[in-house]
PDB file of all heavy atoms in Angstrom:
ATOM      1  N   ASP A   2      96.813 100.581  39.876  1.00  0.00           N
ATOM      2  CA  ASP A   2      96.891 101.926  39.292  1.00  0.00           C
ATOM      3  C   ASP A   2      98.327 102.304  38.980  1.00  0.00           C
ATOM      4  O   ASP A   2      98.627 102.836  37.911  1.00  0.00           O
ATOM      5  CB  ASP A   2      96.282 102.957  40.247  1.00  0.00           C
ATOM      6  CG  ASP A   2      94.787 102.784  40.415  1.00  0.00           C
ATOM      7  OD1 ASP A   2      94.135 102.368  39.442  1.00  0.00           O
ATOM      8  OD2 ASP A   2      94.272 103.057  41.508  1.00  0.00           O
ATOM      9  N   VAL A   3      99.214 102.031  39.926  1.00  0.00           N
ATOM     10  CA  VAL A   3     100.637 102.329  39.741  1.00  0.00           C
ATOM     11  C   VAL A   3     101.462 101.205  40.358  1.00  0.00           C
ATOM     12  O   VAL A   3     101.172 100.743  41.465  1.00  0.00           O
ATOM     13  CB  VAL A   3     101.041 103.660  40.424  1.00  0.00           C
ATOM     14  CG1 VAL A   3     102.527 103.952  40.195  1.00  0.00           C
ATOM     15  CG2 VAL A   3     100.195 104.813  39.930  1.00  0.00           C
ATOM     16  N   VAL A   4     102.467 100.746  39.624  1.00  0.00           N
ATOM     17  CA  VAL A   4     103.488  99.876  40.194  1.00  0.00           C
ATOM     18  C   VAL A   4     104.789 100.673  40.183  1.00  0.00           C
ATOM     19  O   VAL A   4     105.312 101.013  39.123  1.00  0.00           O
ATOM     20  CB  VAL A   4     103.646  98.563  39.407  1.00  0.00           C
ATOM     21  CG1 VAL A   4     104.753  97.705  40.039  1.00  0.00           C
ATOM     22  CG2 VAL A   4     102.338  97.787  39.381  1.00  0.00           C
ATOM     23  N   PHE A   5     105.262 101.006  41.359  1.00  0.00           N
ATOM     24  CA  PHE A   5     106.473 101.813  41.520  1.00  0.00           C
ATOM     25  C   PHE A   5     107.587 100.874  41.939  1.00  0.00           C
ATOM     26  O   PHE A   5     107.649 100.418  43.078  1.00  0.00           O
ATOM     27  CB  PHE A   5     106.241 102.901  42.574  1.00  0.00           C
ATOM     28  CG  PHE A   5     107.344 103.912  42.678  1.00  0.00           C
ATOM     29  CD1 PHE A   5     107.635 104.766  41.632  1.00  0.00           C
ATOM     30  CD2 PHE A   5     108.080 104.013  43.849  1.00  0.00           C
ATOM     31  CE1 PHE A   5     108.651 105.714  41.747  1.00  0.00           C
ATOM     32  CE2 PHE A   5     109.089 104.958  43.974  1.00  0.00           C
ATOM     33  CZ  PHE A   5     109.377 105.807  42.923  1.00  0.00           C
ATOM     34  N   VAL A   6     108.463 100.551  40.978  1.00  0.00           N
ATOM     35  CA  VAL A   6     109.555  99.610  41.231  1.00  0.00           C
ATOM     36  C   VAL A   6     110.768 100.421  41.672  1.00  0.00           C
ATOM     37  O   VAL A   6     111.468 101.025  40.858  1.00  0.00           O
ATOM     38  CB  VAL A   6     109.872  98.773  39.981  1.00  0.00           C
ATOM     39  CG1 VAL A   6     110.844  97.647  40.331  1.00  0.00           C
ATOM     40  CG2 VAL A   6     108.600  98.199  39.369  1.00  0.00           C
ATOM     41  N   HIS A   7     111.008 100.432  42.958  1.00  0.00           N
ATOM     42  CA  HIS A   7     112.047 101.262  43.568  1.00  0.00           C
ATOM     43  C   HIS A   7     113.141 100.364  44.137  1.00  0.00           C
ATOM     44  O   HIS A   7     112.922  99.171  44.357  1.00  0.00           O
ATOM     45  CB  HIS A   7     111.410 102.115  44.677  1.00  0.00           C
ATOM     46  CG  HIS A   7     112.314 103.118  45.306  1.00  0.00           C
ATOM     47  ND1 HIS A   7     112.855 102.936  46.562  1.00  0.00           N
ATOM     48  CD2 HIS A   7     112.792 104.302  44.855  1.00  0.00           C
ATOM     49  CE1 HIS A   7     113.609 103.983  46.871  1.00  0.00           C
ATOM     50  NE2 HIS A   7     113.595 104.816  45.848  1.00  0.00           N
ATOM     51  N   GLN A   8     114.312 100.935  44.367  1.00  0.00           N
ATOM     52  CA  GLN A   8     115.410 100.149  44.920  1.00  0.00           C
ATOM     53  C   GLN A   8     115.075  99.570  46.302  1.00  0.00           C
ATOM     54  O   GLN A   8     115.676  98.583  46.741  1.00  0.00           O
ATOM     55  CB  GLN A   8     116.678 100.990  45.012  1.00  0.00           C
ATOM     56  CG  GLN A   8     116.579 102.181  45.935  1.00  0.00           C
ATOM     57  CD  GLN A   8     117.827 103.050  45.880  1.00  0.00           C
ATOM     58  OE1 GLN A   8     118.451 103.197  44.832  1.00  0.00           O
ATOM     59  NE2 GLN A   8     118.202 103.617  47.020  1.00  0.00           N
ATOM     60  N   SER A   9     114.078 100.144  46.977  1.00  0.00           N
ATOM     61  CA  SER A   9     113.658  99.627  48.285  1.00  0.00           C
ATOM     62  C   SER A   9     112.661  98.484  48.175  1.00  0.00           C
ATOM     63  O   SER A   9     112.336  97.841  49.174  1.00  0.00           O
ATOM     64  CB  SER A   9     113.042 100.760  49.122  1.00  0.00           C
ATOM     65  OG  SER A   9     111.879 101.271  48.482  1.00  0.00           O
ATOM     66  N   GLY A  10     112.140  98.227  46.965  1.00  0.00           N
ATOM     67  CA  GLY A  10     111.173  97.155  46.769  1.00  0.00           C
ATOM     68  C   GLY A  10     110.112  97.541  45.751  1.00  0.00           C
ATOM     69  O   GLY A  10     110.205  98.576  45.084  1.00  0.00           O
ATOM     70  N   ILE A  11     109.088  96.701  45.644  1.00  0.00           N
ATOM     71  CA  ILE A  11     107.990  96.946  44.715  1.00  0.00           C
ATOM     72  C   ILE A  11     106.823  97.537  45.499  1.00  0.00           C
ATOM     73  O   ILE A  11     106.399  96.987  46.514  1.00  0.00           O
ATOM     74  CB  ILE A  11     107.555  95.647  44.019  1.00  0.00           C
ATOM     75  CG1 ILE A  11     108.736  95.023  43.275  1.00  0.00           C
ATOM     76  CG2 ILE A  11     106.401  95.902  43.063  1.00  0.00           C
ATOM     77  CD1 ILE A  11     108.451  93.640  42.726  1.00  0.00           C
ATOM     78  N   HIS A  12     106.302  98.660  45.004  1.00  0.00           N
ATOM     79  CA  HIS A  12     105.233  99.364  45.703  1.00  0.00           C
ATOM     80  C   HIS A  12     103.983  99.379  44.817  1.00  0.00           C
ATOM     81  O   HIS A  12     103.998  99.960  43.725  1.00  0.00           O
ATOM     82  CB  HIS A  12     105.668 100.782  46.043  1.00  0.00           C
ATOM     83  CG  HIS A  12     106.926 100.839  46.857  1.00  0.00           C
ATOM     84  ND1 HIS A  12     106.919 100.988  48.228  1.00  0.00           N
ATOM     85  CD2 HIS A  12     108.226 100.730  46.494  1.00  0.00           C
ATOM     86  CE1 HIS A  12     108.165 100.987  48.673  1.00  0.00           C
ATOM     87  NE2 HIS A  12     108.974 100.834  47.643  1.00  0.00           N
ATOM     88  N   ILE A  13     102.930  98.727  45.292  1.00  0.00           N
ATOM     89  CA  ILE A  13     101.655  98.698  44.577  1.00  0.00           C
ATOM     90  C   ILE A  13     100.813  99.864  45.099  1.00  0.00           C
ATOM     91  O   ILE A  13     100.494  99.929  46.292  1.00  0.00           O
ATOM     92  CB  ILE A  13     100.909  97.373  44.815  1.00  0.00           C
ATOM     93  CG1 ILE A  13     101.815  96.184  44.487  1.00  0.00           C
ATOM     94  CG2 ILE A  13      99.626  97.332  43.983  1.00  0.00           C
ATOM     95  CD1 ILE A  13     102.322  96.159  43.064  1.00  0.00           C
ATOM     96  N   ILE A  14     100.449 100.785  44.204  1.00  0.00           N
ATOM     97  CA  ILE A  14      99.735 101.995  44.613  1.00  0.00           C
ATOM     98  C   ILE A  14      98.320 101.991  44.052  1.00  0.00           C
ATOM     99  O   ILE A  14      98.116 101.910  42.845  1.00  0.00           O
ATOM    100  CB  ILE A  14     100.474 103.262  44.144  1.00  0.00           C
ATOM    101  CG1 ILE A  14     101.884 103.317  44.756  1.00  0.00           C
ATOM    102  CG2 ILE A  14      99.684 104.516  44.507  1.00  0.00           C
ATOM    103  CD1 ILE A  14     102.717 104.486  44.266  1.00  0.00           C
ATOM    104  N   ASN A  15      97.358 102.064  44.952  1.00  0.00           N
ATOM    105  CA  ASN A  15      95.949 102.210  44.602  1.00  0.00           C
ATOM    106  C   ASN A  15      95.600 103.676  44.814  1.00  0.00           C
ATOM    107  O   ASN A  15      95.636 104.171  45.942  1.00  0.00           O
ATOM    108  CB  ASN A  15      95.099 101.296  45.498  1.00  0.00           C
ATOM    109  CG  ASN A  15      93.686 101.114  44.985  1.00  0.00           C
ATOM    110  OD1 ASN A  15      93.077 102.064  44.501  1.00  0.00           O
ATOM    111  ND2 ASN A  15      93.154  99.905  45.107  1.00  0.00           N
ATOM    112  N   PHE A  16      95.287 104.383  43.739  1.00  0.00           N
ATOM    113  CA  PHE A  16      95.086 105.833  43.809  1.00  0.00           C
ATOM    114  C   PHE A  16      93.607 106.185  43.859  1.00  0.00           C
ATOM    115  O   PHE A  16      92.818 105.703  43.055  1.00  0.00           O
ATOM    116  CB  PHE A  16      95.736 106.508  42.601  1.00  0.00           C
ATOM    117  CG  PHE A  16      95.567 108.003  42.580  1.00  0.00           C
ATOM    118  CD1 PHE A  16      95.924 108.777  43.665  1.00  0.00           C
ATOM    119  CD2 PHE A  16      95.030 108.634  41.463  1.00  0.00           C
ATOM    120  CE1 PHE A  16      95.755 110.158  43.646  1.00  0.00           C
ATOM    121  CE2 PHE A  16      94.864 110.015  41.427  1.00  0.00           C
ATOM    122  CZ  PHE A  16      95.225 110.776  42.526  1.00  0.00           C
ATOM    123  N   LYS A  17      93.244 107.044  44.823  1.00  0.00           N
ATOM    124  CA  LYS A  17      91.857 107.469  44.986  1.00  0.00           C
ATOM    125  C   LYS A  17      91.777 108.993  44.900  1.00  0.00           C
ATOM    126  O   LYS A  17      92.367 109.691  45.723  1.00  0.00           O
ATOM    127  CB  LYS A  17      91.293 107.006  46.337  1.00  0.00           C
ATOM    128  CG  LYS A  17      91.256 105.491  46.515  1.00  0.00           C
ATOM    129  CD  LYS A  17      90.323 104.843  45.499  1.00  0.00           C
ATOM    130  CE  LYS A  17      90.273 103.331  45.678  1.00  0.00           C
ATOM    131  NZ  LYS A  17      89.451 102.685  44.632  1.00  0.00           N
ATOM    132  N   ARG A  18      91.044 109.492  43.917  1.00  0.00           N
ATOM    133  CA  ARG A  18      90.849 110.940  43.778  1.00  0.00           C
ATOM    134  C   ARG A  18      89.535 111.300  44.465  1.00  0.00           C
ATOM    135  O   ARG A  18      88.462 111.226  43.889  1.00  0.00           O
ATOM    136  CB  ARG A  18      90.825 111.338  42.298  1.00  0.00           C
ATOM    137  CG  ARG A  18      90.764 112.848  42.071  1.00  0.00           C
ATOM    138  CD  ARG A  18      90.894 113.171  40.595  1.00  0.00           C
ATOM    139  NE  ARG A  18      89.765 112.701  39.813  1.00  0.00           N
ATOM    140  CZ  ARG A  18      88.632 113.379  39.626  1.00  0.00           C
ATOM    141  NH1 ARG A  18      88.473 114.563  40.193  1.00  0.00           N
ATOM    142  NH2 ARG A  18      87.670 112.878  38.889  1.00  0.00           N
ATOM    143  N   MET A  19      89.658 111.678  45.741  1.00  0.00           N
ATOM    144  CA  MET A  19      88.480 111.976  46.544  1.00  0.00           C
ATOM    145  C   MET A  19      88.693 113.265  47.327  1.00  0.00           C
ATOM    146  O   MET A  19      89.836 113.671  47.596  1.00  0.00           O
ATOM    147  CB  MET A  19      88.165 110.815  47.500  1.00  0.00           C
ATOM    148  CG  MET A  19      87.777 109.536  46.776  1.00  0.00           C
ATOM    149  SD  MET A  19      87.361 108.187  47.897  1.00  0.00           S
ATOM    150  CE  MET A  19      86.842 106.932  46.717  1.00  0.00           C
ATOM    151  N   THR A  20      87.583 113.894  47.730  1.00  0.00           N
ATOM    152  CA  THR A  20      87.676 115.199  48.379  1.00  0.00           C
ATOM    153  C   THR A  20      87.017 115.239  49.755  1.00  0.00           C
ATOM    154  O   THR A  20      87.098 116.255  50.443  1.00  0.00           O
ATOM    155  CB  THR A  20      87.020 116.285  47.499  1.00  0.00           C
ATOM    156  OG1 THR A  20      85.651 115.930  47.258  1.00  0.00           O
ATOM    157  CG2 THR A  20      87.748 116.416  46.162  1.00  0.00           C
ATOM    158  N   GLY A  21      86.352 114.165  50.159  1.00  0.00           N
ATOM    159  CA  GLY A  21      85.595 114.184  51.408  1.00  0.00           C
ATOM    160  C   GLY A  21      86.361 113.644  52.595  1.00  0.00           C
ATOM    161  O   GLY A  21      87.592 113.567  52.599  1.00  0.00           O
ATOM    162  N   TRP A  22      85.621 113.243  53.622  1.00  0.00           N
ATOM    163  CA  TRP A  22      86.181 112.615  54.810  1.00  0.00           C
ATOM    164  C   TRP A  22      86.261 111.107  54.548  1.00  0.00           C
ATOM    165  O   TRP A  22      85.283 110.489  54.123  1.00  0.00           O
ATOM    166  CB  TRP A  22      85.313 112.878  56.024  1.00  0.00           C
ATOM    167  CG  TRP A  22      85.269 114.318  56.451  1.00  0.00           C
ATOM    168  CD1 TRP A  22      86.027 115.343  55.963  1.00  0.00           C
ATOM    169  CD2 TRP A  22      84.409 114.892  57.436  1.00  0.00           C
ATOM    170  NE1 TRP A  22      85.705 116.527  56.590  1.00  0.00           N
ATOM    171  CE2 TRP A  22      84.710 116.284  57.513  1.00  0.00           C
ATOM    172  CE3 TRP A  22      83.414 114.389  58.273  1.00  0.00           C
ATOM    173  CZ2 TRP A  22      84.056 117.146  58.376  1.00  0.00           C
ATOM    174  CZ3 TRP A  22      82.766 115.257  59.146  1.00  0.00           C
ATOM    175  CH2 TRP A  22      83.085 116.609  59.193  1.00  0.00           C
ATOM    176  N   ILE A  23      87.406 110.518  54.840  1.00  0.00           N
ATOM    177  CA  ILE A  23      87.630 109.098  54.542  1.00  0.00           C
ATOM    178  C   ILE A  23      87.580 108.271  55.823  1.00  0.00           C
ATOM    179  O   ILE A  23      88.236 108.603  56.819  1.00  0.00           O
ATOM    180  CB  ILE A  23      88.990 108.894  53.842  1.00  0.00           C
ATOM    181  CG1 ILE A  23      89.117 109.816  52.616  1.00  0.00           C
ATOM    182  CG2 ILE A  23      89.156 107.427  53.438  1.00  0.00           C
ATOM    183  CD1 ILE A  23      88.048 109.622  51.566  1.00  0.00           C
ATOM    184  N   TYR A  24      86.783 107.192  55.762  1.00  0.00           N
ATOM    185  CA  TYR A  24      86.671 106.255  56.874  1.00  0.00           C
ATOM    186  C   TYR A  24      86.966 104.846  56.358  1.00  0.00           C
ATOM    187  O   TYR A  24      86.454 104.451  55.311  1.00  0.00           O
ATOM    188  CB  TYR A  24      85.261 106.268  57.461  1.00  0.00           C
ATOM    189  CG  TYR A  24      84.847 107.566  58.106  1.00  0.00           C
ATOM    190  CD1 TYR A  24      84.338 108.615  57.329  1.00  0.00           C
ATOM    191  CD2 TYR A  24      84.946 107.748  59.482  1.00  0.00           C
ATOM    192  CE1 TYR A  24      83.947 109.814  57.922  1.00  0.00           C
ATOM    193  CE2 TYR A  24      84.547 108.939  60.083  1.00  0.00           C
ATOM    194  CZ  TYR A  24      84.054 109.966  59.297  1.00  0.00           C
ATOM    195  OH  TYR A  24      83.676 111.147  59.873  1.00  0.00           O
ATOM    196  N   GLY A  25      87.765 104.075  57.101  1.00  0.00           N
ATOM    197  CA  GLY A  25      88.007 102.701  56.689  1.00  0.00           C
ATOM    198  C   GLY A  25      89.013 101.996  57.585  1.00  0.00           C
ATOM    199  O   GLY A  25      89.946 102.623  58.081  1.00  0.00           O
ATOM    200  N   ARG A  26      88.808 100.702  57.765  1.00  0.00           N
ATOM    201  CA  ARG A  26      89.750  99.864  58.498  1.00  0.00           C
ATOM    202  C   ARG A  26      90.281  98.791  57.543  1.00  0.00           C
ATOM    203  O   ARG A  26      89.612  98.417  56.577  1.00  0.00           O
ATOM    204  CB  ARG A  26      89.081  99.208  59.702  1.00  0.00           C
ATOM    205  CG  ARG A  26      88.573 100.209  60.744  1.00  0.00           C
ATOM    206  CD  ARG A  26      87.940  99.470  61.912  1.00  0.00           C
ATOM    207  NE  ARG A  26      86.830  98.631  61.472  1.00  0.00           N
ATOM    208  CZ  ARG A  26      86.197  97.757  62.266  1.00  0.00           C
ATOM    209  NH1 ARG A  26      86.583  97.613  63.523  1.00  0.00           N
ATOM    210  NH2 ARG A  26      85.197  97.041  61.800  1.00  0.00           N
ATOM    211  N   GLU A  27      91.452  98.312  57.841  1.00  0.00           N
ATOM    212  CA  GLU A  27      92.112  97.359  56.938  1.00  0.00           C
ATOM    213  C   GLU A  27      91.255  96.131  56.678  1.00  0.00           C
ATOM    214  O   GLU A  27      91.262  95.583  55.566  1.00  0.00           O
ATOM    215  CB  GLU A  27      93.458  96.954  57.540  1.00  0.00           C
ATOM    216  CG  GLU A  27      94.301  96.088  56.638  1.00  0.00           C
ATOM    217  CD  GLU A  27      95.664  95.813  57.215  1.00  0.00           C
ATOM    218  OE1 GLU A  27      96.028  96.433  58.238  1.00  0.00           O
ATOM    219  OE2 GLU A  27      96.377  94.956  56.643  1.00  0.00           O
ATOM    220  N   GLN A  28      90.512  95.671  57.679  1.00  0.00           N
ATOM    221  CA  GLN A  28      89.725  94.442  57.541  1.00  0.00           C
ATOM    222  C   GLN A  28      88.329  94.654  56.973  1.00  0.00           C
ATOM    223  O   GLN A  28      87.623  93.694  56.655  1.00  0.00           O
ATOM    224  CB  GLN A  28      89.618  93.736  58.904  1.00  0.00           C
ATOM    225  CG  GLN A  28      88.799  94.507  59.944  1.00  0.00           C
ATOM    226  CD  GLN A  28      89.624  95.475  60.764  1.00  0.00           C
ATOM    227  OE1 GLN A  28      90.663  95.946  60.311  1.00  0.00           O
ATOM    228  NE2 GLN A  28      89.165  95.740  61.991  1.00  0.00           N
ATOM    229  N   ASP A  29      87.883  95.896  56.825  1.00  0.00           N
ATOM    230  CA  ASP A  29      86.529  96.161  56.323  1.00  0.00           C
ATOM    231  C   ASP A  29      86.424  95.860  54.824  1.00  0.00           C
ATOM    232  O   ASP A  29      87.319  96.209  54.054  1.00  0.00           O
ATOM    233  CB  ASP A  29      86.152  97.628  56.543  1.00  0.00           C
ATOM    234  CG  ASP A  29      86.002  97.976  58.015  1.00  0.00           C
ATOM    235  OD1 ASP A  29      85.754  97.054  58.814  1.00  0.00           O
ATOM    236  OD2 ASP A  29      86.132  99.174  58.358  1.00  0.00           O
ATOM    237  N   PRO A  30      85.329  95.238  54.376  1.00  0.00           N
ATOM    238  CA  PRO A  30      85.159  94.990  52.940  1.00  0.00           C
ATOM    239  C   PRO A  30      84.946  96.275  52.136  1.00  0.00           C
ATOM    240  O   PRO A  30      85.281  96.341  50.964  1.00  0.00           O
ATOM    241  CB  PRO A  30      83.918  94.094  52.864  1.00  0.00           C
ATOM    242  CG  PRO A  30      83.184  94.354  54.145  1.00  0.00           C
ATOM    243  CD  PRO A  30      84.232  94.659  55.176  1.00  0.00           C
ATOM    244  N   GLU A  31      84.375  97.300  52.802  1.00  0.00           N
ATOM    245  CA  GLU A  31      84.140  98.580  52.129  1.00  0.00           C
ATOM    246  C   GLU A  31      84.641  99.734  52.983  1.00  0.00           C
ATOM    247  O   GLU A  31      84.644  99.662  54.217  1.00  0.00           O
ATOM    248  CB  GLU A  31      82.643  98.785  51.844  1.00  0.00           C
ATOM    249  CG  GLU A  31      82.072  97.861  50.800  1.00  0.00           C
ATOM    250  CD  GLU A  31      80.610  98.175  50.515  1.00  0.00           C
ATOM    251  OE1 GLU A  31      79.886  98.544  51.468  1.00  0.00           O
ATOM    252  OE2 GLU A  31      80.197  98.041  49.351  1.00  0.00           O
ATOM    253  N   TRP A  32      85.079 100.799  52.316  1.00  0.00           N
ATOM    254  CA  TRP A  32      85.415 102.047  52.977  1.00  0.00           C
ATOM    255  C   TRP A  32      84.371 103.085  52.571  1.00  0.00           C
ATOM    256  O   TRP A  32      83.514 102.813  51.731  1.00  0.00           O
ATOM    257  CB  TRP A  32      86.821 102.506  52.573  1.00  0.00           C
ATOM    258  CG  TRP A  32      87.914 101.705  53.226  1.00  0.00           C
ATOM    259  CD1 TRP A  32      87.783 100.514  53.869  1.00  0.00           C
ATOM    260  CD2 TRP A  32      89.299 102.049  53.294  1.00  0.00           C
ATOM    261  NE1 TRP A  32      88.995 100.080  54.332  1.00  0.00           N
ATOM    262  CE2 TRP A  32      89.943 101.002  53.995  1.00  0.00           C
ATOM    263  CE3 TRP A  32      90.052 103.115  52.822  1.00  0.00           C
ATOM    264  CZ2 TRP A  32      91.313 101.014  54.233  1.00  0.00           C
ATOM    265  CZ3 TRP A  32      91.416 103.131  53.075  1.00  0.00           C
ATOM    266  CH2 TRP A  32      92.033 102.101  53.769  1.00  0.00           C
ATOM    267  N   ALA A  33      84.452 104.256  53.181  1.00  0.00           N
ATOM    268  CA  ALA A  33      83.442 105.268  52.893  1.00  0.00           C
ATOM    269  C   ALA A  33      84.057 106.656  52.799  1.00  0.00           C
ATOM    270  O   ALA A  33      85.018 106.985  53.499  1.00  0.00           O
ATOM    271  CB  ALA A  33      82.352 105.257  53.968  1.00  0.00           C
ATOM    272  N   GLU A  34      83.474 107.448  51.911  1.00  0.00           N
ATOM    273  CA  GLU A  34      83.804 108.870  51.792  1.00  0.00           C
ATOM    274  C   GLU A  34      82.540 109.654  52.121  1.00  0.00           C
ATOM    275  O   GLU A  34      81.479 109.410  51.534  1.00  0.00           O
ATOM    276  CB  GLU A  34      84.270 109.201  50.373  1.00  0.00           C
ATOM    277  CG  GLU A  34      84.513 110.692  50.157  1.00  0.00           C
ATOM    278  CD  GLU A  34      84.595 111.060  48.678  1.00  0.00           C
ATOM    279  OE1 GLU A  34      84.044 110.302  47.844  1.00  0.00           O
ATOM    280  OE2 GLU A  34      85.183 112.106  48.369  1.00  0.00           O
ATOM    281  N   VAL A  35      82.647 110.571  53.076  1.00  0.00           N
ATOM    282  CA  VAL A  35      81.524 111.433  53.428  1.00  0.00           C
ATOM    283  C   VAL A  35      81.802 112.820  52.876  1.00  0.00           C
ATOM    284  O   VAL A  35      82.811 113.447  53.214  1.00  0.00           O
ATOM    285  CB  VAL A  35      81.309 111.494  54.953  1.00  0.00           C
ATOM    286  CG1 VAL A  35      80.143 112.429  55.282  1.00  0.00           C
ATOM    287  CG2 VAL A  35      81.051 110.104  55.515  1.00  0.00           C
ATOM    288  N   GLN A  36      80.906 113.295  52.034  1.00  0.00           N
ATOM    289  CA  GLN A  36      81.071 114.603  51.414  1.00  0.00           C
ATOM    290  C   GLN A  36      80.145 115.628  52.059  1.00  0.00           C
ATOM    291  O   GLN A  36      79.501 115.367  53.064  1.00  0.00           O
ATOM    292  CB  GLN A  36      80.816 114.488  49.904  1.00  0.00           C
ATOM    293  CG  GLN A  36      81.844 113.624  49.184  1.00  0.00           C
ATOM    294  CD  GLN A  36      81.569 113.537  47.701  1.00  0.00           C
ATOM    295  OE1 GLN A  36      80.437 113.460  47.263  1.00  0.00           O
ATOM    296  NE2 GLN A  36      82.633 113.568  46.912  1.00  0.00           N
TER     297      GLN A  36
END
């Protein structure tokens, strides 16, 4: 979604426009939003 090339390094940004409760762990194949 965004590649922010900053003097501190390259930052890959995945942007999520959500309004609910967010659940997820780094190793999970899927995350969840509860509305």
Side-chain angles (χ1 to χ4, degrees):
D2 293 327
V3 181
V4 179
F5 188 65
V6 189
H7 186 255
Q8 63 185 35
S9 62
I11 302 172
H12 303 262
I13 307 301
I14 300 176
N15 195 320
F16 179 53
K17 298 297 180 184
R18 186 174 66 86
M19 295 182 176
T20 58
W22 294 352
I23 307 301
Y24 295 84
R26 297 181 301 172
E27 186 175 351
Q28 67 271 26
D29 293 337
E31 291 183 324
W32 285 14
E34 175 196 23
V35 179
Q36 295 180 322

